[in-house]
Amino acid sequence: MKQRSSRRSLLGAVLALGLCACGSSRGSGDPAGGGPITWASFKEPTGTLRKIVDGWNSSHPGAKVTLVDLPEAADAQREQLVQNAQIKSTAFDVVTLDAVWTAEFAANRWVEPLSGLDTGGFLAPSLRTGQYRGRLYAAPWLTGAGLLYYRTDLLAKAGVPRPPRTWQELTDDCAKVRRSVDIGCYAGQYDEYEGLTVNVTEAIDSAGGRVLDASGRPALNTPEALAGLRFLTDGLQRGLIPKAALTYQEENGRRAFEAGDLLFHRNWGYVYALAGRTDGSSRVAGRFAVAPLPGRTGPGVSTLGGNNVAISAYSKRKRTALEFIRYVTGVAAEKTFGLGSAYPMSRAALYSDPAMVKAQPYLPTLAVSIRNAVPRPEAVRYGDVTTAIQEAAYAALRGRIGPEQALSRLQADLGPLTAG
């Protein structure tokens, strides 16, 4: 009931915004599609993104960009953008899309194909996330892959020479550390939200399985898929993963790791700068490092994350929108944003840039993870697909059903959602 109520209030807000945006407050622009535009994006906490926008505005007084903050949670961001598109609102000209939303937004013609954009210099995996049926609909902007954060001091004290490369090594290393230290072993993000889809597909991929096969059909009736889900369900049952992790989203897990409550933690690259702060907010500053995620029999497979930028199909200022996308995804703007915010960017050159690596020493490791990363299941009905994954997986993690039953249910549920 709470979710449905939230959706009604969001729809009302979007309807109001869409109606107001059609008025004259934005200026008339010009017949060629120039003039002021609005960019709907996530709320960036460091303020660096607004500085990037201010840089554009200072040199484009007739085509200024207004930055509109979307909700904090990815699920709510998508919901607002979808509702905005469904009523064909002109409120947003440029929209920030989660990397996995491209197929849905392109297939529904909610965003424009990007023609005339130079795609050289982008990380290849990131570039693919903006494509649908061979055409580019969203320009790579931010990217990322899951990383394993680990306590260097505790592993060294236990005589462990390197971070784990397999799930068994992770389990063994944790047992060695726990002989003298009372600490949680491992956690990712297991609350019932988009992060759970990320973590579950990551585990299945790291066991050699896939949620969807190459044809886009469900492929969950395999030993590999079962091994991936069992790594999580068995981990919770045996205490490898603390029960508290069932409520973890990114920030809950980050705070637990920074408080010294976890030996190993799966999270995104942005955590590196925060966990390394020396202002007293992190108890692990100077005592952690990152590595690629471990897998079933060797290094694991990370889920490819990131955000892309696209032009709304209902924008009246598409020329300005394209020019701004060129600017914000350019090397100079991405470097400024990366240095100021610690978000990993989509330009390949930045991962070997001396200034970037000095500021963010995790970048070479992240580059390895990105190259080996796999996107979340790509589907036009992605919203329904991710909801089905979350519901089945969360029931299994809670112990309400077994992992075999969860995968069998999910195999059946995903069939109609991926047909056609």
Side-chain angles (χ1 to χ4, degrees):
M1 292 297 293
K2 182 178 179 182
Q3 186 178 22
R4 284 196 288 268
S5 175
S6 173
R7 287 179 177 173
R8 291 192 199 102
S9 61
L10 263 176
L11 179 57
V14 173
L15 283 167
L17 180 56
L19 291 171
C20 293
C22 296
S24 60
S25 61
R26 296 176 65 212
S28 59
D30 66 57
I37 62 171
T38 298
W39 179 17
S41 191
F42 60 84
K43 187 174 183 179
E44 192 276 302
T46 71
T48 308
L49 185 54
R50 290 196 178 273
K51 293 179 181 178
I52 298 292
V53 172
D54 290 343
W56 165 274
N57 288 343
S58 65
S59 57
H60 297 79
K64 289 189 175 182
V65 174
T66 298
L67 188 61
V68 175
D69 292 333
L70 292 172
E72 181 175 322
D75 295 350
Q77 291 171 18
R78 176 190 163 276
E79 185 173 37
Q80 182 167 341
L81 291 176
V82 167
Q83 290 172 344
N84 195 73
Q86 287 174 337
I87 63 173
K88 300 182 178 180
S89 171
T90 60
F92 304 146
D93 300 284
V94 176
V95 292
T96 296
L97 304 180
D98 187 294
V100 79
W101 299 342
T102 301
E104 177 183 19
F105 277 71
N108 285 290
R109 299 182 180 178
W110 294 334
V111 292
E112 288 285 302
L114 292 179
S115 57
L117 184 72
D118 183 3
T119 57
F122 289 113
L123 290 165
S126 299
L127 184 62
R128 286 194 292 271
T129 67
Q131 296 172 337
Y132 176 68
R133 293 187 174 178
R135 301 186 72 181
L136 185 69
Y137 284 85
W141 177 41
L142 311 182
T143 190
L147 293 169
L148 181 71
Y149 288 78
Y150 65 95
R151 289 285 299 276
T152 53
D153 57 334
L154 297 182
L155 290 188
K157 185 178 179 181
V160 179
R162 56 170 174 76
R165 291 175 292 190
T166 67
W167 293 336
Q168 187 59 55
E169 288 180 1
L170 184 147
T171 302
D172 294 343
D173 292 348
C174 188
K176 293 174 184 177
V177 169
R178 279 175 155 176
R179 291 170 188 164
S180 58
V181 180
D182 182 15
I183 191 170
C185 183
Y186 173 78
Q189 294 77 45
Y190 309 122
D191 196 2
E192 192 174 356
Y193 80 117
E194 184 62 22
L196 180 58
T197 297
V198 169
N199 279 252
V200 169
T201 57
E202 215 162 51
I204 290 173
D205 291 340
S206 293
R210 289 291 183 270
V211 175
L212 303 181
D213 63 21
S215 67
R217 302 293 290 159
L220 293 160
N221 52 356
T222 66
E224 292 81 8
L226 182 58
L229 185 56
R230 269 185 171 163
F231 168 65
L232 301 178
T233 58
D234 289 356
L236 281 158
Q237 291 176 0
R238 293 182 293 144
L240 184 75
I241 301 172
K243 295 291 185 183
L246 288 168
T247 65
Y248 281 2
Q249 297 189 11
E250 281 81 1
E251 286 295 273
N252 311 77
R254 173 182 71 82
R255 286 190 287 266
F257 182 73
E258 290 180 13
D261 296 336
L262 293 171
L263 176 62
F264 299 108
H265 179 46
R266 180 258 175 238
N267 214 320
W268 304 102
Y270 84 98
V271 171
Y272 192 94
L274 298 174
R277 290 179 299 188
T278 57
D279 59 0
S281 60
S282 174
R283 296 180 60 184
V284 301
R287 296 188 289 165
F288 74 93
V290 295
L293 294 173
R296 185 185 184 190
T297 58
V301 177
S302 172
T303 294
L304 184 66
N307 296 93
N308 302 329
V309 283
I311 300 174
S312 168
Y314 309 107
S315 169
K316 303 299 183 183
R317 315 281 169 74
K318 292 185 174 70
R319 178 171 61 81
T320 296
L322 180 59
E323 291 173 355
F324 179 70
I325 285 176
R326 288 194 184 107
Y327 162 80
V328 80
T329 62
V331 174
E334 288 213 354
K335 182 174 180 178
T336 298
F337 189 40
L339 287 172
S341 68
Y343 281 94
M345 314 305 294
S346 63
R347 290 285 179 175
L350 299 182
Y351 287 78
S352 57
D353 183 285
M356 291 291 295
V357 175
K358 181 178 179 181
Q360 301 172 19
Y362 73 93
L363 286 179
T365 301
L366 179 61
V368 173
S369 295
I370 290 173
R371 284 195 294 269
N372 297 325
V374 174
R376 277 162 283 172
E378 297 174 339
V380 172
R381 297 180 63 181
Y382 181 76
D384 296 326
V385 168
T386 188
T387 297
I389 294 172
Q390 292 168 34
E391 290 176 350
Y394 198 66
L397 296 184
R398 284 283 188 183
R400 296 168 184 159
I401 60 176
E404 296 91 345
Q405 184 183 353
L407 292 178
S408 178
R409 175 192 298 180
L410 188 55
Q411 177 79 13
D413 289 346
L414 292 184
L417 300 177
T418 56

